[in-house]
Amino acid sequence: SSLDKTSEVLKEAEKIVRKIPEMENYVTTAGGGYSMFAGDGGGGSGGHLGYISVNLKEKKTRERKSYEIADSIRDEVEKIQGGEVRVQELQAGPPTGAAFEARIFGDDLQTLSVIAKEVKEMAEGIDGLINVSDTVDESSGELTFEIDHKKIKLYGLDVTQVAMNIRQVIFGTDVTTVNLGGDDIKVVVKYKDE
């Protein structure tokens, strides 16, 4: 599953984080429903997201500044396979977003992707910018269904039954778990894509 893949990537990042001599402790969140990181577009949710928040020892007890520590692990962390991994230094106070942020709006996802790629390439050419990224692929999209209450009553259904069926069509239903070679594998029944 997406959450399992995210957890594997986070485990690799944790190995690197544990080697930071100035680290006091860290907290890992897999399948995050929020983000404390500045500049990631305000957070998100889903099994494909994960965060590691590293708490450093007090400034007076360490020689390196937090940005130097972040820089020291950035290359190694960003080489982790299996996902896009970024190192970002948290700013003091509540997150306010990236120092530079370009927001592109529109209804055509293909056009937005092309424009986002062009903006990203331009930004990558600017000296001093780090963690240049786009969030086009992170968007899961949104579907809105309007239910005709008269019609569903005609068929003897209620809103909950209709909602559950729509969810099953889109995501499938977990029906059981099979253990193969010590690994638990979810069995999901889905409608055929057409």
Side-chain angles (χ1 to χ4, degrees), residues 14-35:
E14 284 176 339
K15 290 176 187 175
I16 297 165
V17 165
R18 282 190 211 111
K19 293 188 268 183
I20 300 172
E22 299 91 345
M23 181 197 59
E24 183 74 32
N25 56 49
Y26 65 92
V27 176
T28 303
T29 305
Y34 70 98
S35 170

Side-chain angles (χ1 to χ4, degrees), residues 90-108:
L90 294 177
Q91 304 300 316
T96 57
F100 169 77
E101 190 171 87
R103 293 186 179 213
I104 306 161
F105 297 93
D107 294 327
D108 183 354

Side-chain angles (χ1 to χ4, degrees), residues 172-186:
T173 302
D174 292 358
V175 291
T176 190
T177 302
V178 177
N179 188 302
L180 292 175
D183 292 330
D184 287 338
I185 300 170
K186 287 183 185 177

